[in-house]
């Protein structure tokens, strides 16, 4: 058992600020490595051209501290909070929102959040979407995803009939990516959440995007197989990088699963564009 540890709100705020600034300008090595590999394997000239521009864009963003994309996303924050942590000096959620506010101001990142009905911009890219989970220990793990709107728009939750089974899920994933076409800015990463309730499936799909790119599901061989098979099928669709045609429509399919009600089979698909920004820290 760990001893009680105090973590000031200021540390949380500053960490969130740093992570969003880094994520917005520095594409992770796993993503860049996958795009480089795809570029060397891509058969079509236009597809290869698009992948090379994405690689060049990532270099310029990193070297000049510029956003990877004009769409700097909705701020999504996952917090794994050790049950032996005592947050001091304020309110945890306020600290996260302030970190987001500061990052978007300091990094000159586009403010993309608005009232859903009158479309008035909130002006500082808040509120962030915050997911919290209490875990053993006395640390806080903070994971951030600035999530682009174009790829989020192509995401969905389907309540399949239980009899649809893994074959129905496979067809659903491939159909959804096919219907999305070039809209989610491919090459994409396809996060899939199976089971739970409607909101839990969506959360699993989003969490699947946090997995290091291309690492197969290690807990369930059926899911690892599903990931490999659907990726192959998706890359045979011919959508290609940025929709220019080619074999690189997705870089990976990540599937997470949990048990569900005997009457249900929820399946959520969360599509992530090639600007697959995510960073994390443990404090
Ligand atoms: S979906 Fe991604 S790549 Fe496309 S505009 Fe939005 S953030 Fe940029």
């Amino acid at each position: 058992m760990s001893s009680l540890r105090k973590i000031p709100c200021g540390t949380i705020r500053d960490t969130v600020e740093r992570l969003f600034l880094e994520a917005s300008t520095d594409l992770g090595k796993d993503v860049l490595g996958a795009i480089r590999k795809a570029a060397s394997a891509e058969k079509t000239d236009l597809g290869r051209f698009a992948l090379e521009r994405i690689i060049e864009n990532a270099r310029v963003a990193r070297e000049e501290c510029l956003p990877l994309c004009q769409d700097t996303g909705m701020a999504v924050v996952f917090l794994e909070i050790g049950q032996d942590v005592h947050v001091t000096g304020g309110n945890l959620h306020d600290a996260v929102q302030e970190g987001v506010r500061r990052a978007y101001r300091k990094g000159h990142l586009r403010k993309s959040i608005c009232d859903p009905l009158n479309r008035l911009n909130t002006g500082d890219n808040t509120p962030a979407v915050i997911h919290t989970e209490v875990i053993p220990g006395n640390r806080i793990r903070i994971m951030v995803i600035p999530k682009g709107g174009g790829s989020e728009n192509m995401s969905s939750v389907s309540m399949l009939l239980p009899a649809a089974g893994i074959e129905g899920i496979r067809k659903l994933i491939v159909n959804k990516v096919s219907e999305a076409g070039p809209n989610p800015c491919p090459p994409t990463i396809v996060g899939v959440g199976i089971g739970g309730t409607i909101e839990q499936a969506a959360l699993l799909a989003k969490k699947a995007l946090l997995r290091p790119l291309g690492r197969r599901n290690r807990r369930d061989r059926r899911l690892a197989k599903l990931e490999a098979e659907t990726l192959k099928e998706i890359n045979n669709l011919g959508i290609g990088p940025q929709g220019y045609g080619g074999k690189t429509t997705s870089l990976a399919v990540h599937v997470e699963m949990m048990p569900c009600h005997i009457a249900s089979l929820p399946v959520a698909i969360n599509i992530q564009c090639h600007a697959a920004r995510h960073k994390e820290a443990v404090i």
Side-chain angles (χ1 to χ4, degrees):
M1 231 179 97
S2 55
S3 56
L4 188 72
R5 198 166 143 258
K6 291 182 180 177
I7 300 184
C9 271
T11 305
I12 297 164
R13 177 199 64 213
D14 294 350
T15 306
V16 168
E17 177 186 342
R18 175 175 64 78
L19 291 175
F20 272 104
L21 285 168
E22 285 177 11
S24 300
T25 56
D26 183 20
L27 196 59
K29 285 194 177 69
D30 56 340
V31 182
L32 207 46
I35 295 173
R36 284 205 178 102
K37 200 170 153 202
S40 60
E42 182 54 63
K43 296 276 186 280
T44 68
D45 290 344
L46 272 177
R48 201 168 47 251
F49 176 81
L51 290 169
E52 283 164 358
R53 296 289 70 74
I54 291 170
I55 295 166
E56 174 67 359
N57 179 67
R59 182 190 65 76
V60 173
R62 187 179 57 254
E63 289 180 5
E64 303 195 18
C65 254
L66 292 169
L68 281 152
C69 184
Q70 46 75 33
D71 178 357
T72 50
M74 184 155 199
V76 180
V77 181
F78 284 90
L79 299 174
E80 288 179 358
I81 305 169
Q83 63 188 7
D84 295 321
V85 168
H86 176 202
V87 176
T88 60
N91 176 296
L92 171 68
H93 276 218
D94 289 350
V96 171
Q97 301 293 2
E98 183 58 21
V100 170
R101 194 173 289 119
R102 289 186 185 196
Y104 278 74
R105 194 188 306 133
K106 191 171 175 185
H108 304 289
L109 307 176
R110 191 184 78 186
K111 319 300 183 290
S112 308
I113 306 308
C114 69
D115 180 296
L117 301 182
N118 63 22
R119 312 306 293 179
L120 282 177
N121 199 301
T122 63
D124 59 8
N125 221 62
T126 68
V129 174
I130 305 172
H131 302 289
T132 52
E133 191 181 341
V134 177
I135 59 166
N138 62 6
R139 295 182 172 270
I140 300 178
R141 183 175 177 211
I142 304 174
M143 295 163 278
V144 309
I145 311 181
K147 186 66 173 66
S151 54
E152 195 72 357
N153 287 348
M154 297 296 111
S155 304
S156 61
V157 183
S158 304
M159 303 303 282
L160 297 184
L161 291 172
I166 199 156
E167 186 54 22
I169 296 170
R170 187 187 61 72
K171 280 190 190 143
L172 180 77
I173 297 169
V174 177
N175 283 346
K176 289 291 178 190
V177 175
S178 176
E179 281 166 24
N183 294 322
C185 302
T188 56
I189 300 159
V190 184
V192 181
I194 303 173
T197 49
I198 188 166
E199 82 282 8
Q200 185 61 51
L203 191 55
L204 284 173
K206 180 78 80 200
K207 273 182 134 176
L209 299 176
L210 289 167
R211 198 196 298 166
L213 184 53
R215 183 197 286 170
R216 291 261 171 268
N217 188 303
R218 291 173 171 173
R219 284 191 296 272
D220 191 323
R221 276 200 211 154
R222 297 168 300 172
L223 301 185
K225 187 163 175 275
L226 180 66
E227 290 173 350
E229 286 175 355
T230 48
L231 181 63
K232 197 169 169 200
E233 274 192 70
I234 286 168
N235 284 334
N236 281 334
L237 291 171
I239 298 166
Q242 298 290 15
Y244 286 137
K247 58 175 277 194
T248 321
T249 299
S250 291
L251 299 169
V253 178
H254 293 172
V255 184
E256 298 294 336
M257 186 168 82
M258 70 174 291
C260 62
H261 192 283
I262 53 171
S264 306
L265 179 52
V267 182
I269 297 172
N270 196 193
I271 300 185
Q272 167 66 61
C273 60
H274 65 79
R277 299 156 288 192
H278 60 92
K279 296 282 174 191
E280 68 171 79
V282 177
I283 56 175

